[in-house]
Amino acid sequence: MKNILFTLIAVSLIFASCKKDKNEQEETPLPMAEGTVKIAKWQGNKRAAMMFYFDDSTIGQAKYGVRIFNKHKLIGTWFVNPGSDYYKYNKEIWEKESQEGHQELANHTMTHKGAANNQKAEYEIGEASKIIWKARGEKEFTSLIAFNRGGGTSWDNISLKEILKKYKNIDRVTTKIGERMIGWSVPKGSNAATMLKNYPKALQDSMIWMLSFHGIAEKNGNPPMDHGNGAVWVEHFKTFAKKVEKLKADFWNAGYIQIYKYIQERKTANVNLLQYSNNKYAVELKSEKDAKYYNEPLTVIVQLPKDWTSCSVEQKGAKLPHTIKQGRIQFDAIPNGEKIYIRR
Ligand SMILES: [Zn+2]
């Protein structure tokens, strides 16, 4: 009799667990998870981050800068003036080629002339935003855009904050990015060694290494000039780009908005590790930020028992690329999605 009872209980338990397996959301995790989970400081668990600003959409930036960055699989943040003759001259490069290399187009206002009233400011900021969304292949108002108002321009009596908010622009000057940064405006005529001088410090302190460029000149001169802008010589810039490509082993290279979003999401994130059995875990990844605009993947690191040598990582039935080494599993996921299941 006892045996029959036990069998009945066992069978019903099996049924119950089968039922639950069909809908994993309802499964109750074990009270204790054998393992830990954390979010990496930088995407890809790189040691530091690097970003490069280019202001004014100069001729040399389009003709050389964008193409050299595309070639070396580097990402720059290009603050363009879509209403300027410079921009229009290289419209194809700005709106097509730059996007093929995933370059970040950013708002430097339509004409770099400032604005004397709110109507003009809406045009300077709003029109440029619309052109950028279009080049990105996105609907208007659906993604964040980095912004820089331009040196020497006047915005007196302008509701700048409201207009930037309306057009989802993030001002690179007044916004606190949320991590320490070593930033530098590259002096005209700099060679590659000068451009590179700050990266060891950034790497050592796990900071953001930022360089702000102006022109890129075809000919070397004293100083080299890019159609009226003091610049760096293209040959020096090529040497710089070649070296920076190698630095990607240690640095996460991304556009301003990607880095900004990553930091904001990470700082407001809540990550939990759930254990269902010795072979099945899940990660819950939430962030307080609005998922519509803050969708940069966070790098999650899960430490499970060291005898785990292979596993699957899945979200919503789709496999997520991952690495695993002695039970240490690393993958990227966008917060506020469904649970991520890890199975041995
Ligand atoms: Zn400028």
Side-chain angles (χ1 to χ4, degrees):
M1 189 64 197
K2 232 179 182 180
N3 279 343
I4 292 168
L5 254 180
F6 265 123
T7 314
L8 274 175
I9 291 166
V11 167
S12 59
L13 275 176
I14 289 164
F15 265 108
S17 66
C18 283
K19 220 173 163 184
K20 277 175 190 165
D21 248 327
K22 278 184 187 161
N23 189 349
E24 289 167 310
Q25 300 297 329
E26 288 171 20
E27 220 175 331
T28 314
L30 302 173
M32 288 283 286
E34 189 186 349
T36 58
V37 61
K38 66 172 183 177
I39 300 166
K41 181 172 182 182
W42 302 115
Q43 198 177 76
N45 198 29
K46 296 288 170 76
R47 290 172 58 196
M50 57 183 177
M51 61 184 181
F52 306 107
Y53 299 163
F54 298 83
D55 285 1
D56 304 332
S57 39
T58 68
I59 299 287
Q61 282 175 17
K63 202 171 162 190
Y64 303 114
V66 166
R67 288 172 172 171
I68 291 166
F69 261 37
N70 278 359
K71 182 185 161 194
H72 291 283
K73 296 186 169 55
L74 296 173
I75 292 180
T77 302
W78 309 81
F79 291 83
V80 296
N81 306 109
S84 70
D85 290 343
Y86 282 3
Y87 180 93
K88 287 175 191 161
Y89 185 75
N90 286 309
K91 195 169 151 52
E92 282 285 306
I93 300 177
W94 290 120
E95 294 178 9
K96 297 263 155 46
E97 281 186 48
S98 81
Q99 297 309 288
E100 285 158 19
H102 309 290
Q103 302 300 331
E104 179 186 20
L105 287 184
N107 191 350
H108 201 33
T109 74
M110 282 302 279
T111 65
H112 206 296
K113 286 179 182 150
N117 58 50
N118 277 320
Q119 201 191 340
K120 282 200 175 126
E122 277 250 357
Y123 168 78
E124 286 291 336
I125 294 163
E127 273 309 296
S129 299
K130 287 175 184 175
I131 288 166
I132 289 168
W133 281 313
K134 195 173 174 212
R136 289 179 180 175
E138 293 170 350
K139 281 193 185 139
E140 290 175 2
F141 301 97
T142 57
S143 64
L144 303 181
I145 296 176
F147 173 81
N148 179 26
R149 55 189 264 175
T153 59
S154 166
W155 298 81
D156 293 340
N157 307 312
I158 301 295
S159 314
L160 191 58
K161 265 192 181 164
E162 282 77 59
I163 297 171
L164 292 180
K165 198 174 171 204
K166 177 179 170 185
Y167 289 95
K168 313 298 172 198
N169 277 220
I170 308 290
D171 188 340
R172 82 176 196 210
V173 176
T174 58
T175 303
K176 287 196 172 82
I177 201 163
E179 283 292 341
R180 284 204 300 153
M181 175 158 89
I182 182 163
W184 196 45
S185 181
V186 177
K188 52 196 169 194
S190 295
N191 61 20
T194 307
M195 297 177 212
L196 291 160
K197 72 170 191 176
N198 286 334
Y199 89 79
K201 172 75 178 156
L203 192 58
Q204 188 192 319
D205 293 350
S206 188
M207 289 192 286
I208 302 168
W209 173 42
M210 183 278 277
L211 289 181
S212 177
F213 286 92
H214 302 282
I216 298 170
E218 187 173 328
K219 288 189 186 130
N220 202 1
N222 188 21
M225 296 299 284
D226 176 5
H227 301 263
N229 295 282
V232 295
W233 182 34
V234 63
E235 293 307 320
H236 289 324
F237 188 79
K238 280 183 192 164
T239 309
F240 162 80
K242 236 180 255 175
K243 170 71 181 174
V244 172
E245 187 179 10
K246 291 196 183 107
L247 292 179
K248 280 171 72 180
D250 288 322
F251 281 87
W252 175 37
N253 170 223
Y256 174 92
I257 288 293
Q258 282 183 282
I259 292 176
Y260 173 73
K261 289 197 294 191
Y262 190 97
I263 296 168
Q264 298 302 309
E265 291 167 30
R266 168 168 60 68
K267 288 198 162 182
T268 61
N270 193 343
V271 62
N272 284 309
L273 181 64
L274 310 171
Q275 183 178 6
Y276 297 93
S277 73
N278 286 337
N279 296 313
K280 184 176 165 186
Y281 286 75
V283 171
E284 268 180 329
L285 181 62
K286 303 274 178 223
S287 146
E288 289 167 20
K289 289 285 170 181
D290 181 354
K292 193 175 164 201
Y293 293 101
Y294 291 83
N295 51 6
E296 185 64 25
L298 295 176
T299 297
V300 177
I301 299 166
V302 180
Q303 181 67 59
L304 293 181
K306 286 197 163 64
D307 60 346
W308 280 54
T309 50
S310 75
C311 67
S312 70
V313 180
E314 270 181 39
Q315 189 179 34
K316 246 183 138 177
K319 290 210 171 356
L320 296 185
H322 66 277
T323 60
I324 178 165
K325 201 178 174 188
Q326 291 197 313
R328 193 174 189 271
I329 300 155
Q330 182 181 318
F331 57 89
D332 289 355
I334 298 169
N336 299 322
E338 289 189 3
K339 280 197 193 105
I340 301 138
Y341 286 93
I342 304 171
R343 292 182 183 85
R344 181 152 62 163

